[in-house]
Amino acid sequence: MDAKPEPGPLGESSELLFSFGVIADIQYADLEDGYNFQGSRRRYYRHSLLHLQGAIEHWDKESSPPSCVLQLGDIIDGYNAQYQASEKSLELIMNTFQRLKVPVHHTWGNHEFYNFSRDYLTNSKLNTKFLEDQIAHHPETVPSGNYYAYHFVPFPKFRFILLDAYDMSVLGVDPSSPKYQQCLKILREHNPNAELNSPQGLAEPQFVQFNGGFSQEQLNWLNEVLTFSDRNQEKVVIVSHLPIYPEASDSVCLAWNYRDALAVIWSHKCVVCFFAGHTHDGGYSEDPFGVHHVNIEGVIETAPDSQAFGTVHVYPDKMVLKGRGRVPDRIMNYKKEKAFHF
């Protein structure tokens, strides 16, 4: 696939600053095709590796290669754990990612925790916190070790924040720990079903076991980073496995306390985009505060003759998602007061 020139409506005078790749829900397993839990959508477990290889070949050939790639979580499927294949499958996918000439930032989703404990992930190649930016003289912007989140700067005046949407969760946590008990209590208060993965009859269907939430500690940290970005006229992109905006997502796929995350984001001017995976179907909506919520279509439910990834081209006044296969193109203009002048 050759890189196409940007179409006309994107603005002739706009100067491309940098770009980054996005891919979600690869969920590789060395298995025959299967179906989702409802039996309604096909999953291409083996072929997801070929889709990833195709995405990497495309990014490496782009005329202006992306400065980094965001992997939005669920890198291998939970079925690997049943077949004692978790480490082997992860190694295969990580070796494939190593062909990329640019850094990859890995987000953790529910399938990471079906395969591995949080302690294992922290010590694995899926922990890309070493790529973080450290802001001198601002210790409040340093994340604690209690959750997997960090921020980085791929280009001056643009800060990306990777969030841990399973910071509050019963997945990947030792069942004897106080945190597990606390999270199970929250889940059971909102979900009386015997099967905690079932949203049946729930007023708030996001309270299922395959979702999670953000601790107050993590939200306080996010608030501090956004305060710094506001003060320094930075634009911010937030990355999470779970989406947080109902208009862009199936309600059963939202983070438990998505409203708390929105409240923090909406109290600042700097956030431009929020990228998530998890839904497999994709989704998009611009919220009332001008934040673009983009859910990237999942590789796992992408037929062999299609694709599911994208490259986001960043300009002084907008971001342009150039999708491949199931991922549609999108133009995401910044709020008017946000236009940059270089």
Side-chain angles (χ1 to χ4, degrees):
M1 285 181 279
D2 296 326
K4 294 175 189 166
E6 297 304 341
L10 305 181
E12 300 305 323
S13 60
S14 244
E15 170 206 355
L16 177 65
L17 303 177
F18 70 104
S19 63
F20 59 95
V22 284
I23 193 165
D25 298 272
I26 299 164
Q27 287 183 222
Y28 169 77
D30 185 12
L31 291 172
E32 297 298 323
D33 295 353
Y35 287 87
N36 64 347
F37 295 114
Q38 294 76 34
S40 57
R41 295 203 305 236
R42 192 161 188 153
R43 292 188 168 178
Y44 304 90
Y45 295 108
R46 271 197 198 107
H47 206 92
S48 64
L49 175 62
L50 299 179
H51 282 321
L52 173 61
Q53 289 168 348
I56 288 170
E57 283 167 23
H58 176 87
W59 283 321
D60 276 341
K61 283 180 193 161
E62 281 199 0
S63 51
S64 53
S67 63
C68 64
V69 167
L70 309 177
Q71 187 276 113
L72 299 171
D74 284 5
I75 196 168
I76 63 170
D77 196 87
Y79 271 129
N80 285 288
Q82 281 177 234
Y83 296 96
Q84 283 77 53
S86 300
E87 291 187 354
K88 184 182 172 187
S89 289
L90 180 62
E91 188 177 8
L92 178 61
I93 293 291
M94 295 306 276
N95 286 344
T96 305
F97 265 115
Q98 277 181 335
R99 297 180 197 170
L100 260 178
K101 300 180 178 81
V102 300
V104 181
H105 296 267
H106 292 289
T107 312
W108 297 350
N110 45 313
H111 282 262
E112 276 73 15
F113 294 111
Y114 297 154
N115 284 287
F116 307 110
S117 70
R118 182 168 282 271
D119 286 346
Y120 182 98
L121 289 172
T122 301
N123 295 300
S124 77
K125 288 179 182 173
L126 282 177
N127 182 348
T128 43
K129 211 169 182 174
F130 66 92
L131 296 169
E132 72 183 339
D133 177 55
Q134 295 181 332
I135 304 170
H137 314 301
H138 284 275
E140 75 282 1
T141 64
V142 178
S144 92
N146 297 331
Y147 48 85
Y148 171 63
Y150 63 92
H151 52 88
F152 63 99
V153 179
F155 189 88
K157 294 293 182 183
F158 285 85
R159 189 169 300 278
F160 285 34
I161 303 174
L162 189 144
L163 294 181
D164 183 349
Y166 289 85
D167 178 10
M168 300 295 289
S169 167
V170 294
L171 303 178
V173 193
D174 181 349
S176 65
S177 67
K179 188 157 188 180
Y180 178 91
Q181 297 303 326
Q182 178 197 359
C183 294
L184 185 61
K185 183 170 180 280
I186 292 168
L187 186 54
R188 287 224 163 107
E189 279 169 1
H190 293 87
N191 186 342
N193 295 328
E195 171 50 75
L196 288 171
N197 274 324
S198 170
Q200 193 176 348
L202 302 188
E204 294 191 278
Q206 77 271 20
F207 280 98
V208 285
Q209 189 168 279
F210 57 76
N211 295 335
F214 311 100
S215 66
Q216 193 55 52
E217 183 190 19
Q218 185 180 181
L219 291 173
N220 292 346
W221 166 78
L222 173 62
N223 188 56
E224 294 291 358
V225 179
L226 296 180
T227 299
F228 177 89
S229 290
D230 274 348
R231 238 186 261 130
N232 290 275
Q233 284 87 52
E234 294 179 335
K235 286 184 169 56
V236 171
V237 170
I238 300 180
V239 184
S240 159
H241 182 64
L242 296 181
I244 61 165
Y245 191 55
E247 300 299 313
S249 169
D250 180 341
S251 58
V252 79
C253 287
L254 293 162
W256 287 353
N257 57 338
Y258 69 87
R259 292 182 189 90
D260 296 340
L262 285 172
V264 173
I265 290 167
W266 288 347
S267 67
H268 297 275
K269 291 180 178 173
C270 54
V271 182
V272 171
C273 281
F274 190 106
F275 283 95
H278 196 52
T279 64
H280 297 183
D281 269 349
Y284 168 80
S285 185
E286 182 180 352
D287 72 29
F289 292 82
V291 179
H292 300 273
H293 295 264
V294 186
N295 296 349
I296 298 296
E297 286 72 5
V299 170
I300 182 62
E301 289 178 12
T302 301
D305 62 351
S306 185
Q307 248 303 0
F309 69 94
T311 304
V312 182
H313 302 277
V314 181
Y315 296 88
D317 59 341
K318 63 181 164 289
M319 293 190 183
V320 177
L321 168 59
K322 188 72 190 142
R324 292 287 181 264
R326 297 207 302 141
V327 178
D329 295 352
R330 301 195 187 279
I331 298 176
M332 297 167 286
N333 294 304
Y334 309 149
K335 286 175 283 190
K336 284 297 169 253
E337 74 269 19
K338 283 191 176 176
F340 266 6
H341 301 287
F342 279 87

